[in-house]
Amino acid sequence: VRLRLAVSGTGMTIGNYEYGRPFLLEAQRVAETLADRSWQGHVAAAMASCARPAGDLASAVSFGQQALEIANEVDDHPLQVVARFILACSESNAGNFRRSLEHLTILLRTDGGDSDATFGLDTRPYAFPSVVRYWMTSNYLQLGEFTAAMRLVEEWTQRNALHDDLLGTHALLLHISQGKLQNAIGNSEMAIAAFETAVAAYRDDCHGHFHTPSAWGLGLAYALAGRISHALVQFERAEAHAETIGSTAYMHTRLRHVASSLIEAGRYDEAARMATEAITLSRKGGIRPVEAGALALLGEIAKRQGHPNQEMERRVLDALTLAETLEMRPLAARCHLLLAWLYDKRNRPP
């Protein structure tokens, strides 16, 4: 079981989550024959880690809960930390940002949040304090709680100098989070600077699962700054990297980011196709934040094309309903702006 978990962990390290799945299925079979229940918990945690980037959130949450239950049952603290962290990530992807923050806050207050913990299950040391803050920042930004995100990033910046960061992982995560924050508050040039620093710090051999947020985040920052050619080149490179390692992880997010850039480039038909595909994938996996964002993108495309029709209204209203349900206030605000434009053009009140 340990060896199969290690093989799966190597796939995670380079960002290819699909690679380890056959080994995990065999590890699961063997773990069930062992008297020590903690091995089943470790396998469940690894299964959750593979299911989440593939877009199967139902399985990710189910395996995560199973891992946490076993960890509590056998009093395995390292497994408790890993299981709670995976649950936090899965809940965030599903749009349950408050629930995710509850898990992350607990982790930050425990020794698992203050020192390096093992992630990927017996494969390598992981910059755990920074990855907890990375996910907390993302949740705050989705909720529109920018002050909390700024405060967290400032405190994190001060702490970062204290880490023994031989692989540059703490710095990488901090710069990605800084880039996301600057994008969210509309400071594209500072976002570009942060993401370019993150991409420079990135290493294929140990940061594979952070290639998407760093490379695609930089592409989006370029697009929002109006540097469309730079954005498209960045996305092409990122896609080539994904093909090189054989990964299809986070395809829904990749499609949404490219669609956003294509809108800025005026390539509306391509953008609409990618946004529609992102909606299909996100609905299949229960990834509601991506679904809401992609629906709003279709509304933005209709606005850019000057089509204030019922189809645009339906899509934006669907996006707004999801955004309000998930407390995604920045997205809800954008939806209200789109509806205001639509009703103004159609000379009708909301």
Side-chain angles (χ1 to χ4, degrees):
V1 174
R2 182 186 293 273
L3 287 172
R4 285 173 169 81
L5 289 174
V7 173
S8 175
T10 62
M12 294 183 194
T13 302
I14 64 170
N16 186 337
Y17 296 82
E18 297 87 352
Y19 174 78
R21 190 168 289 111
F23 296 94
L24 289 179
L25 291 173
E26 180 62 17
Q28 184 181 42
R29 184 190 67 79
V30 177
E32 291 173 353
T33 69
L34 302 177
D36 184 354
R37 284 262 292 161
S38 65
W39 286 111
Q40 294 182 46
H42 282 282
V43 173
M47 294 287 282
S49 292
C50 282
R52 186 181 65 82
D56 185 1
L57 291 187
S59 294
V61 171
S62 177
F63 280 122
Q65 290 173 338
Q66 179 185 348
L68 186 57
E69 289 170 3
I70 292 174
N72 291 335
E73 175 189 324
V74 301
D75 196 25
D76 186 331
H77 178 66
L79 181 58
Q80 287 173 337
V81 169
V82 172
R84 193 175 291 279
F85 172 69
I86 293 169
L87 278 173
C89 298
S90 301
E91 295 287 14
S92 180
N93 289 156
N96 301 318
F97 305 114
R98 302 286 181 196
R99 202 176 302 165
S100 176
L101 282 168
E102 289 176 7
H103 286 299
L104 294 168
T105 301
I106 291 172
L107 291 174
L108 206 59
R109 291 172 178 170
T110 66
D111 58 355
D114 294 327
S115 61
D116 279 349
T118 299
F119 184 85
L121 305 172
D122 301 323
T123 58
R124 62 188 181 84
Y126 194 73
F128 201 78
S130 289
V131 82
V132 169
R133 292 180 173 89
Y134 165 85
W135 279 96
M136 290 183 75
T137 303
S138 295
N139 286 327
Y140 284 137
L141 294 178
Q142 292 279 29
L143 292 166
E145 297 182 1
F146 298 139
T147 301
M150 289 177 186
R151 190 162 47 240
L152 180 64
V153 170
E154 288 172 2
E155 178 266 342
W156 183 3
T157 302
Q158 295 172 359
R159 281 177 171 266
N160 189 56
L162 303 177
H163 289 301
D164 182 11
D165 197 15
L166 296 177
L167 299 179
T169 309
H170 290 284
L172 173 70
L173 292 166
L174 174 58
H175 291 309
I176 294 173
S177 295
Q178 289 172 333
K180 287 185 174 184
L181 173 60
Q182 295 302 327
N183 261 346
I185 63 178
N187 196 334
S188 299
E189 291 304 324
M190 288 190 69
I192 289 170
F195 278 121
E196 285 181 340
T197 304
V199 170
Y202 171 83
R203 290 176 49 169
D204 270 333
D205 60 342
C206 56
H207 299 148
H209 41 306
F210 293 116
H211 187 271
T212 293
S214 56
W216 294 80
L218 177 58
L220 183 60
Y222 281 144
L224 294 175
R227 296 162 64 175
I228 306 302
S229 60
H230 287 78
L232 296 178
V233 168
Q234 181 64 28
F235 285 133
E236 288 172 3
R237 290 174 179 170
E239 192 62 32
H241 177 274
E243 291 177 0
T244 298
I245 64 173
S247 175
T248 60
Y250 307 111
M251 179 61 73
H252 40 79
T253 301
R254 285 148 62 179
L255 288 167
R256 189 185 61 172
H257 282 351
V258 176
S260 298
S261 299
L262 291 174
I263 289 174
E264 299 302 323
R267 294 160 59 177
Y268 301 128
D269 290 343
E270 293 175 73
R273 177 176 57 80
M274 290 194 171
T276 301
E277 190 174 347
I279 291 169
T280 300
L281 288 175
S282 58
R283 283 177 174 168
K284 181 179 179 181
I287 309 161
R288 296 179 295 171
V290 173
E291 178 186 353
L295 282 166
L297 286 180
L298 291 177
E300 180 64 31
I301 292 168
K303 177 186 174 183
R304 300 285 183 101
Q305 293 178 316
H307 296 158
N309 51 35
Q310 288 186 340
E311 185 176 9
M312 175 188 174
E313 181 179 18
R314 176 179 57 80
R315 286 169 171 169
V316 177
L317 285 172
D318 287 346
L320 178 59
T321 298
L322 263 177
E324 290 181 338
T325 299
L326 302 176
E327 297 183 71
M328 299 174 70
R329 286 177 287 182
L331 180 59
R334 291 198 293 274
C335 290
H336 281 298
L337 284 173
L338 288 170
L339 289 171
W341 175 88
L342 182 147
Y343 294 137
D344 177 65
K345 294 296 182 182
R346 292 172 60 183
N347 296 314
R348 56 160 285 193

